[in-house]
Amino acid sequence: MVGAYYKGNKIIEMGPAEKVQPGENEVQIKIAYCGICGTDLHIYHGNMDARVTVPHIMGHECSGTVSEIGGQVKDIKVGDKVVVRPLGPCGKCPACLAGHNHICYKLKFLGIETHGAMQSYWTVPAETVHKIPDDMSLQYGALIEPLAVVCHDVRLSGLVKGEKAVVIGGGPIGILAALVAKSVGADVLISEINEFRLEFAEKLGISTVNPMKQDVEAFVNEWTGGAGADVVFEVSASNAGAAVMTKLARSRGRIVLIGIYSNSPQVDLKQFFLRELKLFGARVYEKEDYEKAIELAAAGELPLESLITKVAPLEELKEVLEGMTGDQKAMKILIEC
Ligand SMILES: [Zn+2]
Ligand SMILES: [Zn+2]
């Protein structure tokens, strides 16, 4: 029973981790894999010290096997392969009462405000646990969380077969968004400046454009016969992405904001008037997005395997986080817990 503890100041140390006895409505999971998310990198770099209590165990993109259940838990049994939807809503605020508990006004994120999955055993509310099929690999399981993010984004966008979508940003979320958009039957284009990511997308059969080399607005115009894209997914959280997103959408086109901006970028609001554009915010996922993600992964039609560019043991978490800093060649790295 070990865990990797973030102790502030880029210090990560292995230490004993408590095997927490599940409460009546809780489930204890023997963690198999945990993917590293941009959020974990932010924690490591101290950018989220206001939200985490050190020593802190990070990690929320996990898969594992149920090792113990509380007395009131139904539909989940010991030995089930599971993943966790790492949200802790308050249940009482206006958002929760309106049925939007994934954007609870007091939302706790498991693995940020609480200890996360980078340990041998993790105990979580049964409500957050989703079963995955017995024959699904636990490495795939660790991709369900980011896959659910993009299922949410694509669902909110209303994208349908035959439409054209531009994804701004070709990291793991951008690539997954493009794959899910394609699975809907849309034509998809990724705009990205990093050569490794461009090549990665092309290998998966996704069309790309590099704004450093080509005028994206002109490119999208030509690609859509002068109309503009039906849907634009802004994943890059860059000023350039925010500046161009309104220029790529067609009349009454939909823009989905996925990237998390820490600044207030310039946005061309006049385009909203000229083209009657719609802008959607999209944050994490709802239960049905997890169900959809599990269904998509189980169908085996998405090239999820290729997204996993490295698997490393928990003991190497610090080295992996250090190596990811500024590394433009990583897609998804999984930690074996
Ligand atoms: Zn994540
Ligand atoms: Zn709430």
Side-chain angles (χ1 to χ4, degrees), residues 33 39 44 70 107 129-130 150 168 181 187 194 203 212 260 296 325-326 336:
Y33 297 97
T39 310
Y44 174 64
L107 188 67
V129 176
H130 289 256
V150 302
I168 305 173
D187 258 356
N194 171 311
K203 268 194 216 144
M212 304 296 266
I260 306 170
L296 275 175
T325 309
E336 192 169 0

Side-chain angles (χ1 to χ4, degrees), residues 265-321:
Q266 291 262 341
V267 176
D268 182 359
L269 293 178
K270 196 173 180 190
Q271 283 292 106
F272 285 90
F273 166 77
L274 291 172
R275 293 200 166 179
E276 293 195 348
L277 301 180
K278 294 183 180 72
L279 179 67
F280 299 84
R283 182 177 172 194
V284 292
Y285 23 65
E286 293 170 82
K287 212 171 186 171
E288 64 182 291
D289 301 311
Y290 254 68
E291 285 157 5
K292 179 73 188 174
I294 292 167
E295 182 193 313
L296 275 175
E301 281 156 27
L302 301 182
L304 294 179
E305 184 90 45
S306 59
L307 261 88
I308 303 169
T309 46
K310 183 179 178 151
V311 181
L314 188 59
E315 293 73 25
E316 286 174 22
L317 178 60
K318 183 184 162 66
E319 287 72 27
V320 170
L321 288 166

Side-chain angles (χ1 to χ4, degrees), residues 9 46 54 79 147 170 176 246 270 300 333:
N9 239 336
V54 291
L147 188 58
L176 284 171
T246 54
K270 196 173 180 190
I333 300 182

Side-chain angles (χ1 to χ4, degrees), residues 88-97 100-101 103-107:
C90 77
K92 297 181 201 124
C93 75
C96 284
L97 295 177
H100 314 142
N101 69 6
I103 45 174
C104 166
Y105 292 176
K106 293 177 186 164
L107 188 67

Side-chain angles (χ1 to χ4, degrees), residues 112-191:
I112 300 177
E113 274 88 14
T114 70
H115 276 324
M118 299 274 191
Q119 54 178 331
S120 315
Y121 292 88
W122 195 27
T123 300
V124 295
E127 163 65 20
T128 67
V129 176
H130 289 256
K131 276 198 269 190
I132 57 172
D134 282 338
D135 59 356
M136 187 187 290
S137 91
L138 287 164
Q139 292 198 359
Y140 268 33
L143 298 176
I144 294 296
E145 195 265 3
L147 188 58
V149 166
V150 302
C151 285
H152 187 65
D153 304 332
V154 171
R155 179 164 66 85
L156 292 193
S157 77
L159 187 72
V160 293
K161 188 176 175 174
E163 286 194 313
K164 286 192 154 76
V166 179
V167 179
I168 305 173
I173 292 291
I175 296 274
L176 284 171
L179 291 174
V180 171
K182 270 170 74 101
S183 78
V184 167
D187 258 356
V188 186
L189 176 73
I190 284 187
S191 171

Side-chain angles (χ1 to χ4, degrees), residues 37-40 60-61 109 145-146 149 332:
C37 174
T39 310
D40 301 317
H60 57 268
E61 300 184 1
F109 201 91
E145 195 265 3
V149 166
K332 225 1 137 185

